[in-house]
């Protein structure tokens, strides 16, 4: 069975897609320790001869978020689930009519090194409005599969399921190109510094992507700073985050 988490900004059609995927086979509970609702469900891929046909998916609905900071409970739940539980695939659902805003979360998920499949939902509205989206180009730029969907009618949903099964295979994961968002020369130099220090802690850097940790240290992310404080290399990591040219970075 493949575990797949659904994530997206509020109002993109995540609930609609979750319901379409899982139908009546849903379980509702809470995320551990908090009263935020957690929905999970199951679905079977395909019925015919398509790729991954007969494969079962465990679908986890993550809270709708715009970002993945440690400041908001919803965002932290989503982020912790992805970094701690490492679902085999994360489906990032975008409102296809609002790519500019929606792609911010996608970039954060790439930074988190989630194994992404992007669903461009509301594709019917995209079509109706005559918005042109170059799916191939977008997929190439992000380095992940991009599929158009209409959650309300089910259009594209079977293809999405097949793409999820495919993305979960070792072969596809090995092939996956790491797309790195550059922050400019000065910040990149700092990121490299911190990444180097972080990598000395095998446990920490084995559990979390080192570049992601480095970026979070530089952002002074509360949760990551706590992880760093508990590291035997904590002092070194914090020192690496200090700009040698003077002062600490913001
Ligand atoms: N036209 C169209 N409407 C959609 C689509 N997906 C969701 N919706 C509608 O968009 C609204 C928000 O959907 P919902 O699933 O609640 O979004 P969520 O906040 O991401 O869970 C609802 O009115 C849905 O019926 C779609 O693909 N096409
Ligand atoms: Mg919803």
């Amino acid at each position: 069975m493949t575990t797949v988490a659904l994530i997206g900004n509020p109002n993109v059609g995540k609930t609609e897609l979750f319901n379409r995927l899982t139908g009546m086979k849903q379980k509702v509970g809470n995320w551990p320790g908090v009263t935020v609702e957690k929905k999970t469900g199951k679905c079977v891929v395909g019925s015919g001869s398509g790729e991954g046909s007969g494969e079962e998916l465990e679908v986890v609905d993550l809270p709708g978020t715009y970002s993945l900071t440690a400041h908001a409970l919803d965002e932290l739940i989503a982020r912790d689930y992805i970094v701690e539980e490492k679902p085999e695939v994360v489906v990032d659902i975008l409102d296809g009519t609002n790519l500019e805003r929606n792609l911010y979360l996608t970039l954060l998920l790439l930074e988190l090194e989630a194994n992404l499949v992007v669903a461009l939902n509301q594709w019917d509205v995209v079509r109706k409005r005559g918005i042109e989206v170059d799916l191939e180009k977008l997929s190439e730029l992000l380095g992940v599969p991009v599929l158009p969907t209409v959650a309300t009618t089910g259009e594209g949903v079977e293809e999405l399921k097949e793409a999820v099964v495919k993305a979960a295979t070792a072969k596809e994961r090995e092939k996956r190109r790491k797309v790195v968002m550059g922050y400019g020369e000065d910040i990149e130099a700092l990121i490299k510094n911190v990444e180097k220090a972080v990598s000395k802690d095998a446990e920490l850097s084995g559990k979390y992507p080192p570049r992601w940790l480095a970026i979070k240290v530089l952002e002074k992310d509360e949760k990551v700073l706590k992880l760093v404080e508990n590291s035997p290399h904590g002092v070194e990591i914090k020192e690496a985050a200090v700009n040698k040219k003077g002062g600490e970075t913001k």
Side-chain angles (χ1 to χ4, degrees):
M1 188 154 58
T2 303
T3 302
V4 50
L6 304 185
I7 194 163
N9 290 1
N11 267 318
V12 294
K14 197 161 60 66
T15 297
E16 200 81 46
L17 186 65
F18 180 78
N19 289 341
R20 186 157 287 278
L21 286 172
T22 59
M24 293 290 115
K25 285 177 249 154
Q26 296 184 4
K27 267 200 323 212
V28 181
N30 282 336
W31 290 92
V34 292
T35 53
V36 178
E37 187 183 82
K38 178 185 185 182
K39 284 194 301 185
T40 57
K42 284 191 169 60
C43 77
V44 178
V45 181
S47 47
S49 53
E51 189 147 4
S53 207
E55 184 91 20
E56 200 171 66
L57 301 180
E58 160 102 16
V59 189
V60 180
D61 189 31
L62 298 176
T65 69
Y66 292 106
S67 181
L68 294 173
T69 67
H71 306 309
L73 184 58
D74 278 3
E75 297 183 17
L76 201 51
I77 287 171
R79 168 177 129 176
D80 278 352
Y81 182 80
I82 293 169
V83 283
E84 310 281 346
E85 305 297 326
K86 302 193 197 322
E88 279 137 303
V89 181
V90 175
V91 172
D92 179 20
I93 307 157
L94 276 56
D95 172 353
T97 68
N98 218 331
L99 287 188
E100 213 171 294
R101 183 171 70 191
N102 282 225
L103 280 168
Y104 177 62
L105 180 63
T106 312
L107 298 185
L108 297 176
L109 290 164
L110 287 175
E111 216 155 62
L112 211 49
E113 295 180 20
N115 188 25
L116 278 192
V117 170
V118 167
L120 286 194
N121 196 42
Q122 316 244 6
W123 195 249
D124 53 332
V125 188
V126 173
R127 249 186 334 233
K128 204 165 83 194
R129 293 199 195 151
I131 301 169
E132 279 180 41
V133 182
D134 188 338
L135 293 170
E136 248 174 69
K137 185 79 192 170
L138 189 58
S139 169
E140 188 192 312
L141 287 171
L142 297 172
V144 304
V146 176
L147 291 105
T149 59
V150 183
T152 39
T153 65
E155 189 187 329
V157 172
E158 210 42 59
E159 288 84 352
L160 179 67
K161 289 200 254 179
E162 285 167 16
V164 166
V165 173
K166 190 171 174 207
T169 60
K171 195 173 128 222
E172 285 301 311
R173 304 192 76 154
E174 275 160 30
K175 238 170 52 186
R176 191 61 65 84
R177 183 165 55 89
K178 236 200 235 179
V179 171
V180 174
M181 239 51 59
Y183 286 87
E185 220 178 296
D186 293 353
I187 296 175
E188 283 299 328
L190 275 170
I191 292 174
K192 293 271 140 41
N193 261 350
V194 181
E195 204 181 328
K196 222 169 94 192
V198 162
S199 298
K200 288 186 184 162
D201 184 335
E203 204 189 318
L204 191 64
S205 60
K207 196 160 175 211
Y208 306 95
R211 180 178 166 87
W212 178 77
L213 282 172
I215 293 166
K216 294 300 127 183
V217 167
L218 291 166
E219 284 177 5
K220 299 200 189 324
D221 182 281
E222 301 147 43
K223 202 140 182 223
V224 168
L225 284 183
K226 270 202 199 104
L227 289 174
V228 166
E229 269 158 29
N230 292 324
S231 163
H233 295 273
V235 176
E236 210 177 329
I237 295 169
K238 281 194 167 174
E239 269 171 12
V242 179
N243 190 338
K244 300 248 163 37
K245 280 183 229 153
E248 247 183 299
T249 52
K250 279 199 280 308

